[in-house]
Amino acid sequence: MKIKTSSFIKSAVIPSDYPDVNFPEIAFVGRSNVGKSSLINKLLNRKGLAKTSSTPGKTRLINFFLINKDLVFVDLPGYGYAKVSKTERSSWIKMIDRYLSTSPNLKATVLLQDIRRDQVDMDRAMIDLLRSYKVPVVLVLTKADKFSRNQQIKRINEIKKGMSLTETEMIPFSSTSGLGKDELWESLVKLIADGEEMLDEKGEKP
Ligand SMILES: Nc1nc2c(ncn2[C@@H]2O[C@H](COP(=O)(O)OP(=O)(O)OP(=O)(O)O)[C@@H](O)[C@H]2O)c(=O)[nH]1
Ligand SMILES: [Mg+2]
């Protein structure tokens, strides 16, 4: 994918705040600190476009980015961050769920998981939620640079065994080395094209 332009559009909490643009959207979801904002920057060849931090809980609003004036990336706050209050946590989950269930342009979600960790209940709940909304999911295993190639393959097999969604592809990714970047773009471009096709045929969400 050739990135000609990328820019921040706006942050939002509720649907009336979402930007008034009508392009396909890809959303990035996963636990806090898993590397969502870093991955977005890597995919767009930008250093600080999406704000990142070594402290979990950096992204607290829904952030929209415009790419090549025809595609939108949506950086969502991470879930499972222990240090926020119960009330704030449930309002984040509501914010994420509201976006996933109402955005008419959402074509695919990238679910990020740290390659060193096993899936937690919230990851599984997120996969079930996305399935119920009929949103295609690409699973990305982040921070793969922490492991050798052999260790990565071992982890992929272990993670596969522990999950129900066997047909989902898993892409090892590193925001530091760029591993998995081309493969992920390839999947996303395909999902956007599939989404458009199904929309054309049926006039509704696939
Ligand atoms: N080694 C390594 N570190 C990474 C990678 N991706 C992200 N990090 C680091 O992990 C930390 C969290 O990254 P973010 O991109 O801010 O994570 P996030 O998922 O957006 O976090 P929240 O916004 O809090 O949900 C930062 O210190 C990053 O530098 C990676 O591929 N490899
Ligand atoms: Mg973030």
Side-chain angles (χ1 to χ4, degrees), residues 135-152:
V135 183
V137 185
V138 182
L139 193 73
V140 164
L141 303 177
T142 61
K143 312 193 184 184
D145 51 279
K146 301 278 187 191
F147 280 156
S148 69
R149 183 67 194 142
N150 278 345
Q151 284 173 310
Q152 287 171 20

Side-chain angles (χ1 to χ4, degrees), residues 108 169 184-197:
E169 68 176 313
L184 179 55
W185 262 125
E186 216 172 281
S187 292
L188 296 180
V189 167
K190 194 174 170 301
L191 286 169
I192 295 164
D194 288 353
E196 300 283 284
E197 226 168 73

Side-chain angles (χ1 to χ4, degrees), residues 10-19 61-62 64 95 98-99 102:
K10 70 182 297 200
S11 299
V13 175
I14 50 173
S16 58
D17 292 341
Y18 298 169
L61 302 168
I62 304 176
F64 293 84
M95 172 167 50
R98 216 188 283 125
Y99 167 76
T102 57

Side-chain angles (χ1 to χ4, degrees), residues 139-141 156 159-160 163 165 168-172 183:
L139 193 73
V140 164
L141 303 177
I156 289 172
I159 293 167
K160 262 187 191 157
M163 58 183 285
L165 207 66
T168 305
E169 68 176 313
M170 278 186 212
I171 303 175
E183 204 183 336

Side-chain angles (χ1 to χ4, degrees), residues 6 8 11 34 62 121 162 165 202:
S6 57
F8 173 68
S11 299
V34 73
I62 304 176
D121 286 347
L165 207 66
K202 292 187 191 163

Side-chain angles (χ1 to χ4, degrees), residues 94-142:
K94 232 181 256 161
M95 172 167 50
I96 296 169
D97 184 40
R98 216 188 283 125
Y99 167 76
L100 294 172
S101 60
T102 57
S103 178
N105 296 319
L106 182 61
K107 295 286 178 270
T109 1
V110 179
L111 179 73
L112 289 82
Q113 185 184 333
D114 189 318
I115 195 164
R116 299 166 295 179
R117 292 171 180 246
D118 289 325
Q119 272 189 341
V120 291
D121 286 347
M122 288 197 78
D123 294 319
R124 286 186 274 268
M126 182 52 75
I127 290 177
D128 289 345
L129 192 71
L130 292 167
R131 276 193 140 179
S132 73
Y133 295 147
K134 301 199 186 333
V135 183
V137 185
V138 182
L139 193 73
V140 164
L141 303 177
T142 61

Side-chain angles (χ1 to χ4, degrees), residues 31-38 52-54 56-59 78 143 145-146 174-176:
R31 287 181 82 181
S32 207
N33 204 241
V34 73
K36 297 174 292 298
S37 303
S38 304
T52 66
S53 168
S54 54
K58 176 69 183 172
T59 311
K143 312 193 184 184
D145 51 279
K146 301 278 187 191
S174 168
S175 294
T176 48

